[in-house]
Amino acid sequence: NAEETKVLVDYYYKKYGYIIDIAFWEERTPPGETKSFYNILARLNPSNNKIEDVFKIRLTDCFPIVGKGKPGNQVNTRRFARGQIIMAMDMNQDFYVEQTLKIPHLLSLYDDKDVAIVGYPEDIYTDTYSLIGKFHAIADRTFVTIVQRVLSLLGVRFHYGHPDGWRGAFAEIFGGVSRSYPVNEDIFGGYEMTMKGKKILFVEWIEAAKAREVSWGTTFGIWVKFGMGAAQQFYSRAVYYLNSSKNFGWLLRIAHFYGGVGYYFRKPWVVWGNLAYVAFLLLMGVSGFAAFPHEIFFALVGLLIFAQAITFTGLMQYITERPFLRALGGFIKSWITFAPFFMAHIFTYAQGVTL
């Protein structure tokens, strides 16, 4: 809430000397008057050590934020953003000093007036926090590098939130950097830009730093979010408009399906396929087939590989970033431990899309 935000700003100033502008909304209703909500830009005044209002905009009396908290606050905060380029950074994100030196070159990409979004990879620095942190770092590093590289080549790389840079004018004209109702609200901003014929670029010579989930409970939450977000995309008008747009041909539609929502559409089939495989092995075990233990063993290995074949995308990324033998050995060592982790998530929580 607003009070907690003020405490955080005060802490940053006292510890690091940073003076941070903060945007928030809160109820400020004088006694006996109608309930009033305000969108406020505040700043710490070092002379009196108090946080003071810089700008204040009165909002509607009812439902000042319609939708999810994050996109609603993004819309409110956008009113106070200065400059033409918006960098959408998460609170658990940072930059390395040497990478910040590349930002002027990144901004030069917007010299093309049709460029709406520029995306780039992230270095996941929580890979040493825990074993689960390492698993999630491998998965996320793969997505923000080799997966987005391929999506960009296919023309279906949209907007995935952090750390993309936005052209501010397009965000204002076309409805902000996200949408209010979906749980993965960011990608809808990319849909909108594509439908309007704008360009979305992806470069890999700059990268931000990013923290990801490091425990079972938090990884559970993110997988459920991804699955539910895919389900919401399936029935959204935005995806219908995208697939009926003249700016989005049938090859792009196929690429988007297999590289986007189709991934989650097939998840139930993967689960059912694995369960059917286990049932098949059980039936074979009570038959004469049990006399051939090697076949049973290789069938179980096949079950594991069938469920985790997608993780070999991570192997390709490992190889591009490390010496070949070190990458192969490191990935196999990690795969032995993270395969059960991801299988458990698939069987237990990856039902955001059901048939």
Side-chain angles (χ1 to χ4, degrees):
N1 56 33
E3 289 302 320
E4 292 175 342
T5 304
K6 292 177 181 179
V7 170
L8 185 63
V9 171
D10 186 58
Y11 167 80
Y12 269 103
Y13 175 71
K14 290 179 179 178
K15 188 173 180 64
Y16 301 107
Y18 297 159
I19 297 179
I20 303 173
D21 289 352
I22 57 171
F24 57 91
W25 69 277
E26 69 176 358
E27 179 185 349
R28 293 185 179 180
T29 306
E33 295 188 14
T34 306
K35 182 182 293 186
S36 302
F37 293 94
Y38 290 88
N39 189 24
I40 301 161
L41 181 72
R43 183 181 302 158
L44 182 71
N45 187 344
S47 62
N48 57 16
N49 201 31
K50 291 183 179 180
I51 295 178
E52 300 175 350
D53 295 350
V54 180
F55 299 108
K56 183 172 66 173
I57 301 173
R58 183 169 180 173
L59 305 176
T60 58
D61 296 338
C62 299
F63 306 109
I65 291 184
V66 179
K68 305 289 183 181
K70 177 185 175 183
N73 281 299
Q74 284 178 330
V75 171
N76 277 347
T77 305
R78 175 65 191 99
R79 296 185 176 101
F80 304 121
R82 298 178 295 275
Q84 183 56 249
I85 308 303
I86 304 170
M87 296 189 71
M89 305 293 287
D90 272 9
M91 62 182 296
N92 58 346
Q93 198 154 19
D94 205 341
F95 250 102
Y96 300 112
V97 174
E98 67 275 14
Q99 296 294 334
T100 62
L101 301 176
K102 304 174 185 177
I103 290 179
H105 185 48
L106 180 75
L107 297 179
S108 69
L109 298 175
Y110 293 93
D111 291 344
D112 183 344
K113 300 303 180 182
D114 286 329
V115 171
I117 301 171
V118 177
Y120 47 96
E122 301 161 320
D123 175 57
I124 314 302
Y125 58 80
T126 48
D127 58 338
T128 59
Y129 278 55
S130 67
L131 193 60
I132 292 179
K134 180 180 180 180
F135 299 159
H136 203 111
I138 293 172
D140 207 70
R141 178 66 178 174
T142 302
F143 173 72
V144 300
T145 50
I146 192 170
V147 172
Q148 291 200 28
R149 185 183 313 147
V150 173
L151 292 178
S152 180
L153 288 172
L154 294 175
V156 291
R157 196 270 177 191
F158 299 104
H159 171 52
Y160 302 99
H162 51 81
D164 292 1
W166 270 78
R167 186 181 295 276
F170 292 161
E172 289 180 347
I173 296 170
F174 300 131
V177 299
S178 59
R179 295 299 175 265
S180 60
Y181 69 91
V183 292
N184 56 353
E185 70 286 338
D186 303 304
I187 195 171
F188 286 81
Y191 289 162
E192 192 72 35
M193 295 302 106
T194 302
M195 284 187 280
K196 296 298 189 292
K198 305 304 178 183
K199 297 179 182 178
I200 300 176
L201 305 182
F202 179 70
V203 296
E204 295 191 66
W205 40 260
I206 183 174
E207 62 181 23
K210 175 72 175 178
R212 295 299 329 192
E213 289 70 13
V214 296
S215 68
W216 178 273
T218 51
T219 51
F220 145 70
I222 197 71
W223 301 136
V224 171
K225 173 190 174 182
F226 291 160
M228 187 60 215
Q232 289 178 319
Q233 288 180 61
F234 266 110
Y235 64 72
S236 71
R237 288 177 294 177
V239 174
Y240 169 75
Y241 294 149
L242 176 70
N243 284 282
S244 57
S245 170
K246 293 182 179 180
N247 294 325
F248 207 66
W250 65 273
L251 283 175
L252 294 177
R253 297 169 197 166
I254 294 174
H256 175 225
F257 179 79
Y258 284 102
V261 292
Y263 169 78
Y264 296 93
F265 184 76
R266 72 169 180 82
K267 276 295 184 184
W269 299 94
V270 172
V271 173
W272 295 341
N274 281 312
L275 293 175
Y277 205 18
V278 171
F280 175 76
L281 289 177
L282 179 63
L283 293 175
M284 290 296 99
V286 297
S287 68
F289 192 75
F292 304 95
H294 287 87
E295 283 78 356
I296 295 291
F297 171 75
F298 287 122
L300 289 171
V301 172
L303 172 64
L304 189 64
I305 295 176
F306 172 58
Q308 293 298 309
I310 192 171
T311 62
F312 287 96
T313 311
L315 173 59
M316 297 299 104
Q317 181 58 33
Y318 251 58
I319 292 173
T320 61
E321 294 184 337
R322 297 166 177 82
F324 178 77
L325 293 179
R326 186 183 301 174
L328 188 62
F331 185 83
I332 292 174
K333 182 179 177 180
S334 299
W335 185 79
I336 293 172
T337 52
F338 72 58
F341 167 77
F342 284 115
M343 285 188 69
H345 271 302
I346 289 174
F347 274 96
T348 309
Y349 301 120
Q351 291 293 325
V353 179
T354 56
L355 298 179

